[in-house]
Amino acid sequence: QSALTQPPSVSGSRGQSVTISCTGTSSDVGSSNHVSWYQQPPGTAPKLVIYEVSDRPSGVPDRFSGSKSGNTASLTISGLQAEDEADYYCSSYTSSSTYVFGTGTKVTVL
Amino acid sequence: EVQLVESGGGLAKPGGSLRLSCSASGFTFSTYTMHWVRQAPGKGLEWVSSINSDSRYTYYADSVKGRFALSRDNARGSLFLQMNSLRADDTAVYYCARDTSRRAGFYYYYYMDVWGKGTTVTVSS
């Protein structure tokens, strides 16, 4: 049950795009489309922003998008806004019927 | 309003025990798989345990297996995490989360769609 690998931080100016990678194995990310992404501003609970690799829950802006290739999933935030500054975590359902989270990425809006 | 409220956190000594509760409202609790996820100070999220809707299946992270026990009371809309043999590295905010438990035909969806605000557990002598 090793954590999925994410870059510690990414940054971009308002209006730019940033992409966060999430690398796992063939037992988690690579085994299905059950990859989700969570946004966590400081001091708050996580909030779902992407599920099943690329689907957005109601109310999440369409500047959030997701994709996957092999054992690596990605979250892209287009048109970066100040309110997007937060920690982001990927998560995957695994072949053992458990879940694993990524190491987390801090997004900074310059 | 769909809501999850955790309670039971506090200070425990190494080797001690705590029982966390999560009270659900605004949805039919008995039809959802539920999870506990924790976050150590300054660290990332860690999935801890999950239980399916009728308590038939429970799963645990290796880090808590044999020490933590997850249960639920569907009549009361409550989820419980019994934590024994606590260690310093169990110190964290513990979040209760709902699994979408959604399916479309034979396809099952897996993600956590509702989270509580968390309860803090500190293990220290």
Side-chain angles (χ1 to χ4, degrees):
Chain A
Q1 293 179 348
S2 297
L4 309 175
T5 301
Q6 298 179 230
S9 63
V10 299
S11 61
S13 301
R14 291 190 194 195
Q16 286 188 330
S17 294
V18 295
T19 296
I20 303 167
S21 61
C22 168
T23 301
T25 69
S26 57
S27 296
D28 39 63
V29 175
S31 69
S32 72
N33 284 333
H34 303 312
V35 175
S36 49
W37 289 88
Y38 302 87
Q39 177 193 61
Q40 187 182 35
T44 69
K47 172 194 169 188
L48 178 72
V49 293
I50 292 287
Y51 64 94
E52 299 296 309
V53 173
S54 59
D55 290 339
R56 270 178 294 105
S58 172
V60 173
D62 60 5
R63 62 178 183 272
F64 289 87
S65 62
S67 63
K68 194 190 87 160
S69 177
N71 296 337
T72 298
S74 298
L75 173 72
T76 297
I77 309 173
S78 305
L80 204 57
Q81 303 291 313
E83 59 264 32
D84 299 334
E85 193 159 282
D87 293 328
Y88 289 82
Y89 295 90
C90 60
S91 178
S92 175
Y93 185 67
T94 78
S95 56
S96 303
S97 302
T98 61
Y99 281 79
V100 60
F101 283 92
T103 49
T105 299
K106 182 177 179 60
V107 171
T108 301
V109 181
L110 302 172
Chain B
E1 181 193 2
V2 173
Q3 198 171 11
L4 298 170
V5 179
E6 303 91 338
S7 61
L11 177 64
K13 288 184 169 26
S17 299
L18 275 178
R19 188 186 194 221
L20 305 185
S21 300
C22 171
S23 178
S25 59
F27 65 98
T28 306
F29 178 76
S30 62
T31 63
Y32 287 84
T33 289
M34 298 295 296
H35 304 275
W36 285 97
V37 175
R38 69 184 181 183
Q39 187 169 35
K43 303 295 186 185
L45 300 174
E46 179 189 15
W47 173 82
V48 173
S49 182
S50 63
I51 186 169
N52 79 317
S53 58
D54 63 6
S55 302
R56 189 179 306 184
Y57 302 107
T58 53
Y59 300 94
Y60 300 92
D62 288 345
S63 57
V64 307
K65 202 172 291 182
R67 300 187 299 121
F68 289 12
L70 184 55
S71 61
R72 63 191 295 162
D73 183 336
N74 284 344
R76 292 167 54 189
S78 296
L79 182 71
F80 306 101
L81 184 66
Q82 179 66 43
M83 305 188 296
N84 300 326
S85 303
L86 283 165
R87 310 185 307 218
D89 62 1
D90 294 318
T91 295
V93 175
Y94 284 73
Y95 295 101
C96 170
R98 186 182 81 171
D99 193 286
T100 180
S101 303
R102 178 177 150 209
R103 58 180 289 190
F106 292 107
Y107 187 81
Y108 287 80
Y109 292 80
Y110 292 98
Y111 55 91
M112 299 168 202
D113 61 354
V114 178
W115 295 66
K117 294 188 185 325
T119 187
T120 300
V121 171
T122 303
V123 182
S124 174
S125 54

